[in-house]
Amino acid sequence: MFRTALRNVFAHKARLLMTVLAVLLGVAFVSGTLVFTSTVSDAFQRSSQKGFDDVDVAITPAWSDSPSANPGQAARLSQGLLDKAAGVPGAARVTGDVSGFAAVAGKDGKLLGDGFSSQGHNYYPGKDGQDHRYPMRDGQAPANPGEIALDAKTADRAGFHVGDTVRLSVDGPVRKEKLTGIFTTDDGNAAAGGSIALFDTATAQKLYAAPGGFDQIQVKAAAGTSQAQLKDRIDAILPKDRAETTTGRKLADDQAKSIAESMSSMRTSLLVFAGIALFVGIFIIANTFTMLVAQRTKELALLRAVGASRRQVTRSVLIEAFVVGAVAGVAGLAAGIGIGAGMRSLMGATGQTLPDGPLVVSPGTILASLAVGIVVTMLAAWLPGRRAAKIPPVAAMNSVHATASTKSLVVRNTLGAVVSAAGAALVLLATGMGDGGKAPMGGGAALLLIGIFILTPLLSRPLIAAAAPVLRVFGISGKLARQNAVRNPRRTAATASALMIGLTLITGLTVIAGSAQQAVDKMATDSMKADYVVSMVNKGPLSADVAAELADNPKVTASSPMRNAPARVNGDIEYLTGVNGKDLGELTRLDLKAGSLDGLTANRPVVDSDTAKRHGWHVGSTFTTTYEDGKHGKLTVGGIYQGNELISGILLDTATLDPHQKNASDMQVMVKTAGGPSEATQTALAKALGDNPAIAVQDKKDVSEGIAQMITLMLNILYGLLAMAVIVAVLGVVNTLAMSVFERSQEIGMLRAIGLDRRGIKRMVRLESLVISLFGGVLGIGLGVFFGWAGGKLIEGDLATYEMVLPWGRMALFLALAAVVGVLAALWPARRAARLNMLGAIKAE
């Protein structure tokens, strides 16, 4: 039986090619994902470990959660503590570190990097005058105010040289610094396309900490002293509850773990889409083996007649599947390694460079690829093999088994109806469960998809019959195409379902993304009267000087910062948002549920409804707050409003808040201008702020597009990933049509003999493919709209302005895509059918 199975594989090489391709694509997606994520993870881990080579013990501030501690109290390490650490036996070198945000502008005035990985650090020279973290390649380290050094990758990318003047920003105002040095570093941020600017220690402390203060103290152990020993000695000199120590090894391990966890989420996401592609491939494999088995029924019956058992027949089919899966697994692994390398190169081409490192192909990746290819193929082939083994030999020889019994169709339809109803009920139930409905909705969606797949043979007849009036236009070819499409409803169902799954996911995601985009636009329009919002590009702290400069600008008629400050309220940490109470009503449209904004300038803050509900407040409620400077104050709730993603929390006048802040900074500044928004006004405001690359001046459209940009980017990525499932579905249509043409060779020969020309044969096959593809497209788009509506119900609770929007244009495009799939998939089968020799085909069995 083993030799027989192998002969069958080699005898049907062409027929199995599409199946191999379908499995190969899925396996390539899996192995490519594993190779890419392992390579990136390994590269970052190697880079981070190099960064800890000179750190044997790190001293960091200990933050106090004590109710007596001032909220937001900045814990810093002193120069005195650094000096004490330097005197500990076994400490060879001690370095004080201060860091923060530093956006560097290129020579064209544009921001270098993405803003989120732009960092500033201090250069801390040791006894030898060198900071071993940052070896200078060119020039010398910064030693005075007005001097900086840049990492080599940033300097080379921007074309900077020692002696150049560099524009940068830390928290808003533009700084012009002289470039005194260019250094090399193993820091992962620089390797990944970010920038690192170095200041002298005094300047960095002024910008990021406090005079004499450090964020971290790094200690290098002397030869013969272990990290654990050094840690114990340093612990003995630390002030109680003010600082804590960590070994360099633990820091490296924690960093490696963090990188692995971040890559794990990416790996999981990509593997989900690989799983979808493989799930679609299962339909193709099952379809292929069903047709192959059906074409060999007499051969299998003869094997049964000469003594082969049912188990042996099933086993022979599974052996064929094993060989196909193994071939596809090996080829998929090779393709996946290429995909992994290609994805890494693509990141480099888009400016997202990675640390240097080898391409990682782990034994786990190899085993997973082979296992996936073999297991998926054998699972899909098991049912056709089992069905073939159950056919009585005499019945098989007489082809009595060819049509499915009424009983089997009734059982299938009943099962499909029950599963579909259960899935739909679970989805509908989940829509009212809020955040807790995600898991039930996922389970219900899976059940509904499976139920619809089971019911697809039943649905195929009426839906394909609806196309009859259009098909009549094509004469006899159209009539034959419709009859061929419904002749074997199970085969049509399996072929259409592969395309249905891909379009269901694409349509559902499009509905949700389009609706969320409109909700964000509506939120920006409804809640903002301001013409512009000014903020840092990385959404970090913005200097209070920017708000003052904008308030003094002659084009500005009203402005207000949004100034965050931590405070302790009823024992809990809450963030107060400082605003200009006088102008707030001109800049926002707060949906006030009670009270008014009139008391904002008189210690009467307005509070969002969620915060008020949590504390049991109403208009007139008085509460005590502990500000970040430790002083207490009594505030009375003057109004309660409905918060949203743009404005929420406790809004307090800056005149009340500012005296308690040592270094005030803003999240953003809202601005209203004379004459309203215009391109000229936006340019003038940007120019007034020094054409600062670190500051964004955005109108309402820019704000909503900035929020929606993430949605659009994610949607485009998902489209790209789901395209794999659609490609696999196309292979399924090609495979089904090719084998259908082979199966109907005699029939096609007869049609040619009685007068249907080659053009008519081609048209018949193309129309059959078109009908099957459109059938899958209609089902997919319909299910996608349903899932989009259901998914939107889960979002409504978090996004008050959310309403479902049907993207009619895109849905029409998806249906047109299904039609294109049908036409393209039919090209080769139609050509093959038209070239059949009519006499040879008539004589064929």
Side-chain angles (χ1 to χ4, degrees):
M1 292 301 295
F2 180 74
R3 288 196 299 272
T4 302
L6 289 180
R7 285 197 191 103
N8 284 326
V9 171
F10 291 115
H12 304 117
K13 293 187 290 290
R15 300 184 214 174
L16 291 170
L17 178 61
M18 293 298 174
T19 303
V20 170
L21 282 174
V23 183
L24 184 152
L25 284 173
V27 172
F29 206 156
V30 171
S31 57
T33 295
L34 295 175
V35 168
F36 173 69
T37 52
S38 296
T39 298
V40 173
S41 179
D42 181 74
F44 275 113
Q45 286 180 17
R46 286 170 183 264
S47 176
S48 67
Q49 285 170 356
K50 286 180 182 177
F52 292 114
D53 283 348
D54 280 336
V55 182
D56 287 312
V57 175
I59 307 173
T60 53
W63 290 80
S64 175
D65 293 327
S66 170
S68 61
N70 296 341
Q73 183 174 326
R76 300 291 180 191
L77 304 174
S78 67
Q79 181 69 45
L81 180 59
L82 185 146
D83 294 338
K84 286 175 71 176
V88 168
R93 186 170 61 245
V94 180
T95 304
D97 180 67
V98 184
S99 61
F101 174 71
V104 180
K107 291 186 175 181
D108 58 359
K110 295 180 180 178
L111 181 67
L112 294 174
D114 60 9
F116 290 92
S117 54
S118 302
Q119 295 186 346
H121 290 269
N122 67 310
Y123 187 87
Y124 191 90
K127 294 177 182 178
D128 58 358
Q130 304 295 318
D131 187 334
H132 293 267
R133 299 173 299 173
Y134 309 113
M136 289 293 148
R137 188 191 73 181
D138 304 318
Q140 59 188 21
N144 303 295
E147 297 178 349
I148 64 163
L150 285 178
D151 68 277
K153 288 184 181 291
T154 299
D156 293 343
R157 189 166 70 245
F160 283 128
H161 302 282
V162 172
D164 287 347
T165 298
V166 178
R167 296 173 71 247
L168 59 82
S169 176
V170 171
D171 61 355
V174 175
R175 302 173 62 91
K176 294 182 179 180
E177 313 280 359
K178 180 181 178 182
L179 183 63
T180 62
I182 296 173
F183 62 92
T184 58
T185 177
D186 292 317
D187 189 288
N189 282 306
S195 63
I196 299 178
L198 297 182
F199 303 90
D200 66 281
T201 296
T203 301
Q205 288 174 331
K206 182 181 177 182
L207 293 173
Y208 300 127
F214 297 99
D215 297 327
Q216 187 181 85
I217 296 173
Q218 301 168 354
V219 187
K220 175 70 175 173
T225 303
S226 70
Q227 291 188 354
Q229 288 173 330
L230 184 60
K231 181 181 183 301
D232 291 340
R233 293 169 186 171
I234 293 175
D235 283 340
I237 64 146
L238 291 182
K240 189 176 180 181
D241 298 330
R242 294 295 305 276
E244 56 191 18
T245 57
T246 311
T247 63
R249 185 176 297 106
K250 188 175 188 308
L251 286 173
D253 291 343
D254 290 346
Q255 182 81 357
K257 184 179 178 182
S258 174
I259 292 168
E261 287 175 354
S262 64
M263 295 308 300
S264 176
S265 58
M266 179 194 291
R267 182 184 293 117
T268 301
S269 301
L270 291 172
L271 289 177
V272 165
F273 291 96
I276 292 169
L278 285 167
F279 184 62
V280 171
I282 285 174
F283 293 108
I284 299 170
I285 300 163
N287 225 8
T288 302
F289 276 93
T290 298
M291 288 185 280
L292 286 174
V293 168
Q295 290 167 11
R296 299 203 329 259
T297 49
K298 288 188 178 180
E299 175 189 323
L300 294 174
L302 183 61
L303 289 172
R304 290 287 314 283
V306 298
S309 66
R310 288 184 177 184
R311 185 176 295 177
Q312 285 177 309
V313 170
T314 303
R315 196 181 300 152
S316 72
V317 175
L318 290 178
I319 289 170
E320 290 182 50
F322 176 85
V323 173
V324 171
V327 171
V330 171
L333 173 62
I337 293 171
I339 289 173
M343 288 174 73
R344 177 174 173 166
S345 300
L346 181 63
M347 287 189 73
T350 56
Q352 300 176 6
T353 53
L354 298 173
D356 294 332
L359 197 67
V360 179
V361 184
S362 67
T365 299
I366 297 171
L367 290 174
S369 302
L370 293 175
V372 165
I374 292 168
V375 171
V376 167
T377 309
M378 291 183 71
L379 279 176
W382 175 75
L383 190 59
R386 185 170 175 271
R387 191 183 297 138
K390 291 174 70 174
I391 300 170
V394 175
M397 288 180 180
N398 291 292
S399 300
V400 178
H401 67 288
T403 56
S405 66
T406 304
K407 179 182 176 182
S408 68
L409 291 174
V410 169
V411 170
R412 177 174 181 142
N413 294 338
T414 304
L415 178 63
V418 170
V419 174
S420 298
L426 197 55
V427 168
L428 292 173
L429 179 67
T431 57
M433 296 173 65
D435 287 340
K438 292 177 182 177
M441 184 169 289
L447 276 177
L448 183 55
L449 267 176
I450 293 169
I452 294 296
F453 167 66
I454 297 171
L455 283 177
T456 308
L458 177 67
L459 298 172
S460 64
R461 290 185 178 276
L463 288 178
I464 291 175
V470 178
L471 292 174
R472 286 196 195 101
V473 175
F474 298 96
I476 190 65
S477 295
K479 182 178 179 180
L480 289 170
R482 183 181 65 81
Q483 290 175 347
N484 288 335
V486 298
R487 177 188 298 183
N488 192 330
R490 286 181 174 173
R491 180 187 301 171
T492 298
T495 306
S497 294
L499 190 59
M500 175 191 77
I501 291 169
L503 287 180
T504 295
L505 296 170
I506 289 173
T507 304
L509 291 170
T510 303
V511 169
I512 292 173
S515 302
Q517 168 88 53
Q518 178 177 281
V520 169
D521 290 342
K522 192 171 188 295
M523 186 194 306
T525 303
D526 290 352
S527 63
M528 280 179 55
K529 288 184 188 176
D531 296 329
Y532 298 103
V533 172
V534 179
S535 64
M536 295 292 286
V537 291
N538 70 331
K539 306 307 177 188
L542 178 69
S543 170
D545 294 342
V546 174
E549 191 168 342
L550 287 169
D552 293 338
N553 192 296
K555 289 183 177 291
V556 175
T557 59
S559 68
S560 173
M562 294 194 74
R563 188 166 294 168
N564 254 6
R568 195 175 296 279
V569 178
N570 295 340
D572 298 326
I573 294 293
E574 293 279 1
Y575 276 87
L576 306 177
T577 301
V579 295
N580 181 349
K582 180 173 65 71
D583 289 349
L584 188 65
E586 295 182 52
L587 299 165
T588 64
R589 290 188 183 90
L590 289 185
D591 182 10
L592 284 166
K593 302 297 183 184
S596 70
L597 300 177
D598 297 338
L600 259 176
T601 55
N603 285 0
R604 291 178 65 87
V606 292
V607 182
D608 73 283
S609 52
D610 288 342
T611 303
K613 183 179 179 181
R614 191 168 65 251
H615 289 284
W617 293 337
H618 51 80
V619 173
S621 295
T622 300
F623 61 94
T624 301
T625 179
T626 302
Y627 296 102
E628 62 178 304
D629 63 354
K631 294 182 179 179
H632 303 287
K634 279 197 172 183
L635 300 173
T636 302
V637 177
I640 296 174
Y641 67 96
Q642 180 64 51
N644 56 43
E645 281 71 16
L646 296 178
I647 303 175
S648 62
I650 302 172
L651 305 184
L652 184 67
D653 192 74
T654 51
T656 303
L657 184 62
D658 284 359
H660 303 287
Q661 289 190 284
K662 188 174 182 180
N663 295 306
S665 61
D666 302 325
M667 296 180 291
Q668 61 185 38
V669 180
M670 294 179 288
V671 176
K672 196 167 185 65
T673 56
S678 68
E679 188 173 339
T681 301
Q682 191 170 10
T683 303
L685 288 178
K687 190 170 184 180
L689 295 173
D691 287 323
N692 193 329
I695 293 181
V697 180
Q698 299 178 303
D699 59 17
K700 292 178 187 177
K701 184 180 178 183
D702 294 331
V703 170
S704 93
E705 284 181 353
I707 299 172
Q709 186 177 15
M710 187 72 70
I711 300 172
T712 304
L713 177 64
M714 189 177 297
L715 188 64
N716 289 336
I717 291 171
L718 294 176
Y719 280 167
L721 295 172
L722 287 172
M724 182 69 73
V726 175
I727 292 170
V728 173
V730 172
L731 292 175
V733 178
V734 174
N735 204 15
T736 298
L737 289 173
M739 301 196 75
S740 179
V741 166
F742 177 83
E743 228 176 36
R744 301 202 310 263
S745 296
Q746 196 173 51
E747 176 187 318
I748 292 170
M750 288 295 295
L751 289 171
R752 289 289 315 283
I754 61 176
L756 190 63
D757 60 10
R758 289 186 173 182
R759 183 177 297 177
I761 294 291
K762 282 184 180 180
R763 188 182 299 124
M764 176 188 72
V765 176
R766 287 171 185 159
L767 289 173
E768 180 184 351
S769 175
L770 184 63
V771 166
I772 292 173
S773 297
L774 286 175
F775 169 52
V778 169
L779 280 181
I781 291 171
L783 279 172
V785 169
F786 175 70
F787 289 142
W789 167 81
K793 287 295 181 182
L794 296 182
I795 296 174
E796 281 181 353
D798 298 324
L799 199 58
T801 52
Y802 185 92
E803 291 179 4
M804 189 176 86
V805 178
L806 290 180
W808 295 106
R810 290 210 176 186
M811 289 195 297
L813 182 64
F814 296 154
L815 197 60
L817 174 66
V820 170
V821 165
V823 171
L824 293 177
L827 290 177
W828 176 61
R831 187 166 177 268
R832 182 182 177 192
R835 296 180 65 184
L836 283 175
N837 182 288
M838 70 177 75
L839 295 179
I842 292 170
K843 289 191 295 182
E845 292 190 9

